[in-house]
Amino acid sequence: MLVAGMEKITLLDYPEKLACIIFTQGCNFKCPFCQNSDLIKCNQKGNISEEEVFAYLNKRKNVLDGVVITGGEPTMQKDLKEFIKKVKELGLLVKLDTNGFRPDILEDLINDNLIDYVAMDIKNSLEKYSETSGIKNINT
C-alpha cells in the first residue's frame, strides 16, 4: 500500500478510541478545498513502508485500540484489503475514511467484517457534486 504518512497517536479521529492514522496516496477527486491536497497524486512509492507501519503497530498493539485509514482516498489502494487483514490480525479495530465513490470495495470490506467504523465525506448535493469534487464528468 502507498503510505504517505502516519500519525502515531490520535484521540480525535476515531471516536472514543486511541488510534494511529495511516495516510494513503492517491484520490479520484480533486476538491479545490482539500486539506490533504498533496496526497491527490498517486506516486509509485510511498514515503513510509508497510514494514515500518507494522513494526510500529506490533510494538503498540496493546496500547492502541485501532487504526484510521484515510487519504487521499484509501479505496484507490489495490492492496487495501490485504493491509486491513494484517491490521485485524493484530487485534486492532479499523476505521476507514472514504469519499464513497467506490461502493463495491466498501461493500466488500464491510461484508468481510474488516471495517469497524466508516466515515464518509459527502461533498455536496448531486447537482453540484462535479463542481465541488473538482471532476467535471463525475459519474454520480
Side-chain angles (χ1 to χ4, degrees):
M1 195 159 79
L2 297 176
V3 178
M6 181 169 69
E7 186 71 36
K8 292 184 176 182
I9 297 287
T10 179
L11 296 170
L12 301 173
D13 294 88
Y14 197 144
E16 300 180 13
K17 305 292 182 204
L18 180 63
C20 170
I21 308 173
I22 305 298
F23 294 91
T24 62
Q25 291 180 347
C27 188
N28 50 342
F29 289 174
K30 293 177 178 57
C31 303
F33 52 84
C34 182
Q35 68 183 25
N36 293 333
S37 59
D38 55 329
L39 300 177
I40 291 174
K41 289 185 179 180
C42 189
N43 298 327
Q44 296 300 316
K45 184 177 178 186
N47 296 337
I48 300 173
S49 71
E50 280 192 38
E51 292 80 18
E52 185 178 345
V53 170
F54 283 102
Y56 174 77
L57 293 178
N58 272 304
K59 193 164 85 171
R60 297 288 186 229
K61 67 183 176 185
N62 295 322
V63 175
L64 295 171
D65 297 310
V67 174
V68 176
I69 304 174
T70 190
E73 173 53 41
T75 62
M76 302 287 294
Q77 302 294 317
K78 293 176 183 168
D79 53 352
L80 176 63
K81 188 172 187 175
E82 290 74 28
F83 184 89
I84 292 174
K85 283 180 181 179
K86 291 179 191 175
V87 172
K88 298 296 280 182
E89 286 172 5
L90 296 174
L92 296 169
L93 300 170
V94 174
K95 175 184 176 244
L96 183 72
D97 293 345
T98 180
N99 62 26
F101 262 75
R102 303 204 60 204
D104 53 325
I105 293 171
L106 186 56
E107 181 180 33
D108 182 48
L109 294 171
I110 291 169
N111 287 341
D112 287 348
N113 295 313
L114 293 174
I115 299 197
D116 302 289
Y117 192 107
V118 175
M120 189 175 300
D121 187 3
I122 310 274
K123 306 293 184 191
N124 206 331
S125 65
L126 286 177
E127 299 80 33
K128 295 186 177 184
Y129 227 86
S130 294
E131 178 183 342
T132 306
S133 67
I135 305 295
K136 290 185 181 190
N137 297 315
I138 196 162
N139 182 7
T140 56

